[in-house]
Amino acid sequence: MTPHHHQRGLLGSQFLLTGVLLLALILATFYMGVLYEGRSAAKAQQTALQAQQRKADEAVDKLRAERDDTERDLRKQIADQKAKLETTQGNANAAHQTHVAGVRAGTVRVRVPIVPAVPACGGPTPRSPAQGGAAGPETAYAQLDPTAAANLADIAHDGDQGIRELNHCIDRYELMRKAMDRWTEQTLAGMGG
C-alpha cells in the first residue's frame, strides 16, 4: 500500500465515521422528535379525557340532584295523599260507628223489601216490586234484626274502606308514573335526545 492509498483510507474512514455519527445524530433527533410529539399528543389526549370526565361528573351530579329533588317532592306528595286517606278513613269510620251505634240502639232501623210467599190455593196475588225492581209503595218490607243490620253495615264499610285504599294505591302509582315520565323527558332533553 502506498502512502497515497493509506491517506485515502484514513480520509475515507474519517468521512465514514463522520457520516455514521451524523446519521446517528439525525436518527436520535428524529426519535426524540417522535417521542416529544407522542408525549405531547398523549398529554393532549389525557387533558381532553380529563375534561370529558369532569363534564361527565358534572352531568352525573346534576342528574343526582334532580333525582333527589324529584324523590323529595314525591315523598311529600305521597305523605299528603296518605294524610288525606287517613282523614277520609277516619271520617268514614266515625260515620260508620255512629250509624252502627244507632242500629244497635234501635234508633236507626234497617228495612229490606221482601216478596211474600205465594199462597198455595188461589188467595190474593202477592205484591211485587215497582217497575224496574225498585221498591214502591206496594212493596212489603221486613225490618232486620239490629245485630244482622250492624253486621251488614260492617261488611259494606269494610268494602268501602278497601276501595278507598285501592284508589289510594292507584293514585300513588299514577303519581310515580307521571313523575318518571316527566323526569325521563327532562333527562333526554338535557342529553340532546
Side-chain angles (χ1 to χ4, degrees):
M1 250 209 239
T2 64
H4 186 286
H5 285 298
H6 182 57
Q7 264 188 352
R8 206 168 115 178
L10 286 177
L11 195 59
S13 60
Q14 283 181 343
F15 283 129
L16 182 63
L17 183 62
T18 306
V20 169
L21 287 176
L22 185 60
L23 182 61
L25 182 62
I26 290 172
L27 286 174
T29 305
F30 175 75
Y31 180 70
M32 293 301 288
V34 168
L35 282 178
Y36 177 77
E37 287 299 318
R39 286 183 184 157
S40 295
K43 192 170 189 172
Q45 286 178 345
Q46 182 181 13
T47 303
L49 183 61
Q50 288 172 343
Q52 288 176 342
Q53 184 64 43
R54 272 193 304 276
K55 190 175 181 180
D57 289 345
E58 290 170 1
V60 167
D61 290 343
K62 180 183 176 195
L63 289 174
R64 283 187 179 140
E66 289 174 2
R67 182 202 60 202
D68 291 346
D69 291 344
T70 301
E71 283 181 9
R72 190 174 20 264
D73 291 344
L74 286 173
R75 289 181 197 284
K76 182 186 179 318
Q77 291 176 15
I78 288 171
D80 292 346
Q81 283 182 347
K82 185 177 180 183
K84 182 180 175 185
L85 173 66
E86 289 171 352
T87 300
T88 302
Q89 294 287 49
N91 292 341
N93 288 341
H96 172 69
Q97 294 304 324
T98 301
H99 174 72
V100 169
V103 168
R104 290 190 191 280
T107 57
V108 175
R109 296 185 181 155
V110 178
R111 299 182 321 151
V112 293
I114 60 168
V115 176
V118 177
C121 58
T125 60
R127 293 186 260 172
S128 61
Q131 185 177 6
E138 68 279 353
T139 304
Y141 289 91
Q143 183 171 330
L144 292 179
D145 173 66
T147 303
N151 289 341
L152 284 175
D154 285 341
I155 292 169
H157 175 68
D158 289 346
D160 290 344
Q161 183 173 358
I163 290 169
R164 283 189 294 272
E165 288 171 359
L166 288 174
N167 285 337
H168 172 69
C169 184
I170 290 168
D171 290 345
R172 286 175 67 177
Y173 168 79
E174 283 298 313
L175 180 70
M176 293 297 293
R177 185 186 61 77
K178 288 177 183 176
M180 284 301 299
D181 288 348
R182 233 182 359 262
W183 191 73
T184 301
E185 285 177 17
Q186 289 173 350
T187 302
L188 289 177
M191 295 172 78

